[in-house]
Structures are given as C-alpha cells and as structure tokens.
Amino acid sequence: MKGQGLAAATAVLGAVAVTEAVARAHDRPPAAIAALVAVLAVAPLALVRLWPATAALLSATAALSGLLISYPVTVAGVAVLVLLYGVAGRWRPLPVAGALVLPFVLFAAVPLGSDRRAALLLLGAVAAATTAGAALRLADERRRHRATEQLAAASLLEHAARGERARIARELHDVVAHHITTIALQAEAARLATPGLPPEGARRLTAIGDTARTALTEMRRLLGVLREDGDAEQAFRPQPALRQLNSLLDEVRDTATGGGVRLIVSGPVQPLDPGIELTAYRIVQEALTNVRRHAAGAAIDVELRYGGDDLVVRIYDNGPGPVSDDSGGHGLAGMRERAAMVGGQVTAGASPGAGFLVEAVLPVKGATP
C-alpha cells in the first residue's frame, strides 16, 4: 500500500470497525467507547510503511485494552492486527517481532478480562501472522544468500579462467617469442657477418628480420588480450583491416622470388564492420602464407569484390595446384572457422586454369554507413 491508497484503506476499515463496534455495543453503553477502541485498533495501519513494529504495538494495545473493559475486537481490527504483525515479522528482526507477541501471551495466561477465549484467538492469529512474515523473511535471506554464493562462484570461475589464460599466454610467449627472436637475430647476424653477400641476399635477410619482428609484435599484442592483466603501460593498436592490405601485399612483394602480387578491386568500395574486415584480412594473410609455403615463385592475385550482400575475397596463384586431395590443413581450417564466426564460408581447391584458389564469401550485413 502506498500514500493515498493506504490512507483510504485505513479510513474504510475504520468506518467498518466503528459500525460493527456500535452495533455490538448497543446493549452495553456507552457505545462511544466501543467506537473509540475500534478506531484505535485500526488507525495504526496508516503507520505500517514507516514503523511497522510501532504500528503493531499500538494496535495490540488498543485491542487488549478493549478486552480489558469487555469490548471485543472487531473483525476489521483483527484483520489489521494480522496484517501489522505479518509485516512486522517480514521486515523486522525475529527478536523484535517475537517481543510484539508477548503481550498477547501474558493476557491469555493471566485472564484479566472477561473473554479469555477471544484472547486465545487473538494470540493464535498474531502468532501465525508473525511466523508467516518471519518465514518469508527467512526465505528471502536464503535466496539472497544463494545468489551471493552463485555470484562468488562465478567470480572465482572467471578469476580461474583469467589465470589460466594468463598462464597460457606466458607459456606461448616464452616458447614462441624465443624462437622468433632467434630468427630475427640470426638473420641480422648472417647479413652482417657474411662477407661478399650480394645486395639481393642482404635485402632478403633484412626482410626476414623485419618479418620476424612484426610477427613478434603482433603475437605480443594478441597474447595481451589473453592475459587481461590490466597493464596500464600496454598500448593496443587497432586490429588490421582491409585498408592495411596494400602493406601486407608489399611485404609479400619484398620477399617474393619470381611471380608478382596483384590486388584487384571491383564494385563500390565501402567501409565494413570491423569484424568482417579483420576476417577478410586474416584470410588473405593466411592464403598468402600458404602460397609462399607450397608454391614459391608463383604469381598471386588477390581479388576483393564488393557489391550486394556479400564481400567476395579470392586469392589464386598459377602454381602447381593442390598437391593432394586433402584440403583440411590447419591454415584452411582456420580460414573456415574465421569465416563461420561472421556467418560466411570459405572454399578452396584447384583454380579453373592452373594453381590453387581460396574463395571466401562474407556477409556485409554489418556494413557501416
């Protein structure tokens, strides 16, 4: 009950109580006293929101006072008593709510009035109401306790997961970073220590060192996401997108032997969702790595086809083509997983002419305006 509704309920119950008290006291004047007792038993309902225990005690005092002078409690008065004691049991500590019942216990044990049966009925009613309110309070406390335990368990699980991610990140860094750093150092040492090294060889060794250092930087950035250690000094650069594709192709051209690398773009170029662009970039990166590994010296075409609901990415070369029917290597599997995460798909196999073709179809429903 709130505000005006509580006041209206108090007024209505008060009127009902007065009517009943006057009707029952017609042969026992003065009726005005019966009406006053009835009003005093109901009026504390207006205080239930602010002081439920005080309201219950005031209503009990009025009801017991009426019994002392042989004015029985009205039905409306009993209803208010039950409500007030229930609210007190619900919102006040159990010792306080239990203490509110003691006057009824004493009155029933030492019958000071003429109606001991009425005192026992009132005692049973207020005791039951207090017990029900306390039971609701206990149920709420248990529910909150379970919610707190679940939250604590979830926090511990998340903490353990973060710890495991940090451990994996440290192990990956210790193992992989050592070898990549060794590659960069050995390439640099070979360039400086080899007498009479041709310029082209020195350029290749420099490219090897630069590629190793780039890989090391990218690995550390990605492992930082796993660690989530809140290092304020760590600066995360944005993940690569299609606008960095020319830089990637330039790196391939610098290290390529023989064939060239072309970028073919068709359709109206538009900015896409960062997740789509990152997926497309990684697929091109992995496909280029596979070409360098399995078809060194082959010419490579990278095609981006914008338009419609999909971005089509095609990477094909003029190399020897598939060496076996098995197209489920880790690189291709990774491409398919990346594409599937954004709702796309990747196919790979022999190119229509010669060589090998990787084609990814990625939905652009997340394209930015």
Side-chain angles (χ1 to χ4, degrees):
M1 298 181 185
K2 293 184 179 180
Q4 296 179 349
L6 183 59
T10 304
V12 170
L13 288 174
V16 172
V18 167
T19 302
E20 180 186 352
V22 171
R24 293 170 61 179
H26 67 279
D27 57 343
R28 288 183 295 179
I33 297 178
L36 178 61
V37 171
V39 169
L40 292 178
V42 173
L45 179 62
L47 306 176
V48 67
R49 290 184 60 199
L50 298 177
W51 305 291
T54 301
L57 184 59
L58 291 174
S59 182
T61 302
L64 293 177
S65 298
L67 289 178
L68 280 173
I69 57 176
S70 300
Y71 285 104
V73 183
T74 63
V75 174
V78 173
V80 170
L81 267 175
V82 170
L83 175 61
L84 294 177
Y85 271 77
V87 173
R90 173 70 176 81
W91 297 110
R92 290 297 177 263
L94 188 58
V96 174
L100 295 175
V101 182
L102 288 179
F104 290 94
V105 174
L106 295 175
F107 195 91
V110 184
L112 302 175
S114 60
D115 196 345
R116 187 168 186 271
R117 180 173 176 272
L120 290 174
L121 290 176
L122 281 180
L123 171 61
V126 297
T130 304
T131 302
L136 289 175
R137 177 187 179 89
L138 181 61
D140 282 349
E141 288 177 350
R142 288 178 177 173
R143 194 158 44 245
R144 288 194 297 268
H145 183 67
R146 284 196 299 268
T148 302
E149 287 183 341
Q150 291 173 355
L151 182 61
S155 298
L156 288 175
L157 184 61
E158 176 63 20
H159 181 72
R162 289 183 178 182
E164 183 65 12
R165 287 196 296 267
R167 184 188 65 80
I168 294 172
R170 285 193 298 270
E171 291 184 0
L172 282 174
H173 181 272
D174 292 343
V175 174
V176 180
H178 169 73
H179 294 293
I180 295 179
T181 303
T182 300
I183 292 172
L185 292 176
Q186 289 182 347
E188 187 69 13
R191 184 180 66 84
L192 296 175
T194 303
L197 184 66
E200 180 65 17
R203 189 173 68 84
R204 299 294 182 187
L205 290 174
T206 300
I208 291 173
D210 292 341
T211 301
R213 282 185 287 271
T214 301
L216 184 61
T217 301
E218 186 171 336
M219 182 197 68
R220 285 172 173 164
R221 185 170 66 251
L222 292 176
L223 291 182
V225 176
L226 278 177
R227 294 179 62 183
E228 293 183 351
D229 54 5
D231 187 357
E233 297 180 359
Q234 185 178 12
F236 295 100
R237 290 186 296 177
Q239 292 280 18
L242 291 177
R243 60 180 175 273
Q244 281 85 42
L245 202 54
N246 279 323
S247 299
L248 176 63
L249 299 183
D250 287 340
E251 293 179 9
V252 176
R253 293 186 186 100
D254 289 342
T255 58
T257 56
V261 181
R262 295 191 303 175
L263 176 61
I264 305 170
V265 180
S266 60
V269 178
Q270 57 180 322
L272 305 177
D273 182 89
I276 299 295
E277 295 213 3
L278 174 62
T279 299
Y281 180 93
R282 293 303 188 195
I283 289 173
V284 172
Q285 186 181 44
E286 182 63 32
L288 293 175
T289 300
N290 288 344
V291 172
R292 286 186 290 180
R293 182 182 300 123
H294 301 294
I300 308 170
D301 284 346
V302 177
E303 180 180 354
L304 301 180
R305 188 182 303 163
Y306 292 86
D309 296 330
D310 299 311
L311 170 68
V312 179
V313 182
R314 305 176 80 237
I315 306 96
Y316 46 94
D317 61 75
N318 63 352
V323 295
S324 69
D325 293 333
D326 180 17
S327 60
H330 294 298
L332 292 176
M335 294 184 212
R336 293 189 177 103
E337 289 174 0
R338 283 185 177 275
M341 289 182 66
V342 296
Q345 60 181 358
V346 170
T347 57
S351 183
F356 195 77
L357 167 67
V358 174
E359 182 176 88
V361 180
L362 308 176
V364 295
K365 56 180 180 293
T368 58

